C-alpha cells in the first residue's frame, strides 16, 4: 500500500486536521528510526503502521467524552494506544490527561522523546505494576497487547477504585478468554468488533465484580 493511500485509508475513517496528520507522520518516522534498536513493534507490521497501530488505537476516542479527565495506559510499549489517544483527544479538543505505565526504561525514554516531539504533555511511570502495584487512578483505563484478560481484570479489581471505563483490546483468542473469565468475574461490558480486523474486538468494561 502506497504512503498516500495509507493516509487516505486512515482519513476514510477519521477526518482529521492537517496538524494531526503531521503529528502521526512524525510519530511514524521516529518509531521506524528507533525500532531498529528498541524492537518496539514487529518488523512485519512496519509497513502497516497506519492501520495496524495508529487506526487500531485511534478508534477508542469514539467512546471517550469530555467527562473523562484522566486516561491510564497499561504497558504502553510503543505508545499504543495511549499516545495516539493523546493525539486524538487534542484533535477533538478533549482536555484528557494521558498517563502511561511501562516497565522498560528504554521504552520510557523513547516515549518521553516522542511526547516532546508531539507536544503532548503525557505523564510517564516506569514500573512493573505486576511486581510493584500502584493505585490506578484514572477515569479511563486502556490495555492493548498487554497481558491475558484474567491478569488485567485482577489488576484493575485490586488497584483501580474510581474508574468509569476500561478498554481492553483482544484478538482471536479473546472470546475464549472471556468465557473463562466469566466463570470468576461478573463483568458488565460492551463488545465492539475492531474497525481494523474482524477477528479482533475491544471490550468496554463498565463494572467489574469478583464472583
Amino acid at each position: 500500500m502506497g504512503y498516500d493511500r495509507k493516509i487516505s485509508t486512515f482519513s476514510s475513517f477519521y477526518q482529521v486536521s492537517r496538524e494531526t496528520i503531521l503529528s502521526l507522520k512524525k510519530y511514524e518516522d521516529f518509531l521506524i528510526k528507533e525500532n531498529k534498536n528498541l524492537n518496539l513493534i514487529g518488523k512485519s507490521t512496519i509497513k502497516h503502521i497506519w492501520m495496524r497501530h495508529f487506526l487500531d488505537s485511534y478508534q477508542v476516542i469514539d467512546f471517550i467524552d469530555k467527562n473523562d479527565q484522566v486516561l491510564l495506559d497499561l504497558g504502553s510499549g510503543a505508545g499504543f494506544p495511549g499516545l495516539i489517544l493523546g493525539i486524538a483527544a487534542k484533535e477533538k479538543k478533549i482536555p484528557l490527561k494521558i498517563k502511561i505505565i511501562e516497565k522498560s526504561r528504554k521504552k520510557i525514554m523513547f516515549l518521553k522523546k516522542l511526547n516532546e516531539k508531539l507536544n503532548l504533555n503525557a505523564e510517564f511511570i516506569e514500573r512493573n505494576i505486576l511486581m510493584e502495584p500502584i493505585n490506578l487512578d484514572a477515569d479511563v483505563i486502556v490495555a492493548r497487547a498487554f497481558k491475558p484478560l484474567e491478569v488485567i481484570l485482577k489488576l484493575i479489581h485490586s488497584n483501580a477504585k474510581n474508574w468509569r471505563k476500561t478498554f481492553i483490546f483482544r484478538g482471536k483468542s479473546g472470546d475464549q478468554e472471556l468465557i473463562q473469565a466469566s466463570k470468576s468475574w461478573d463483568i458488565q461490558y460492551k463488545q465492539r468488533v475492531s474497525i481494523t480486523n474482524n477477528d479482533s474486538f475491544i471490550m468496554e468494561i463498565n463494572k467489574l465484580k469478583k464472583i
Side-chain angles (χ1 to χ4, degrees):
M1 186 183 289
Y3 195 80
D4 289 340
R5 192 176 169 194
K6 292 176 190 177
I7 296 173
S8 64
T9 301
F10 179 93
S11 299
S12 70
F13 288 93
Y14 293 99
Q15 293 293 320
V16 298
S17 66
R18 181 173 176 274
E19 181 185 0
T20 293
I21 292 294
L22 288 174
S23 290
L24 291 171
K25 284 182 177 179
K26 282 184 187 178
Y27 200 134
E28 180 185 32
D29 290 344
F30 190 60
L31 175 58
I32 290 172
K33 176 187 172 187
E34 296 297 311
N35 196 60
K36 295 171 184 175
N37 298 318
L38 296 178
N39 193 29
L40 295 158
I41 59 173
K43 290 181 180 179
S44 64
T45 72
I46 288 175
K47 292 183 179 179
H48 310 287
I49 288 173
W50 283 78
M51 286 290 288
R52 181 79 173 267
H53 298 297
F54 289 176
L55 183 59
D56 192 51
S57 298
Y58 204 103
Q59 64 185 309
V60 172
I61 200 64
D62 289 341
F63 315 113
I64 292 172
D65 57 54
K66 292 188 177 180
N67 293 318
D68 299 319
Q69 297 179 5
V70 179
L71 178 144
L72 181 66
D73 185 0
L74 303 176
S76 190
F80 307 132
L83 285 188
I84 293 295
L85 290 172
I87 293 171
K90 192 174 180 181
E91 166 74 25
K92 296 189 74 172
K93 296 180 171 56
I94 299 174
L96 186 68
K97 175 69 176 178
I98 305 294
K99 293 184 178 180
I100 287 177
I101 298 177
E102 171 58 48
K103 68 179 181 179
S104 166
R105 177 161 296 181
K106 289 182 179 179
K107 289 178 182 177
I108 284 283
M109 294 305 294
F110 161 81
L111 292 168
K112 285 182 175 179
K113 289 176 184 176
L114 182 57
N115 180 65
E116 187 175 341
K117 284 178 178 291
L118 300 176
N119 297 314
L120 285 179
N121 194 33
E123 178 183 332
F124 301 94
I125 302 164
E126 181 189 333
R127 183 180 290 252
N128 183 336
I129 52 172
L130 298 180
M131 302 296 291
E132 303 172 87
I134 58 172
N135 290 330
L136 305 178
D137 186 16
D139 303 291
V140 181
I141 298 170
V142 292
R144 179 182 183 268
F146 176 52
K147 295 291 180 183
L149 180 60
E150 180 71 23
V151 174
I152 297 171
L153 296 180
K154 286 179 181 177
L155 189 64
I156 292 167
H157 185 260
S158 300
N159 299 288
K161 303 302 177 189
N162 298 312
W163 57 278
R164 298 176 65 232
K165 311 166 190 172
T166 293
F167 296 97
I168 303 176
F169 291 66
R170 302 324 288 164
K172 289 183 178 180
S173 63
D175 285 328
Q176 279 301 119
E177 282 189 287
L178 186 52
I179 290 169
Q180 285 300 117
S182 296
K183 296 175 182 178
S184 305
W185 299 94
D186 180 6
I187 311 169
Q188 181 179 311
Y189 70 96
K190 302 178 187 76
Q191 183 171 324
R192 300 181 177 94
V193 176
S194 172
I195 63 175
T196 62
N197 188 331
N198 289 335
D199 290 331
S200 300
F201 63 90
I202 299 172
M203 290 178 66
E204 177 188 337
I205 300 175
N206 303 113
K207 287 186 180 178
L208 179 65
K209 184 179 179 182
K210 187 76 170 140
I211 295 176

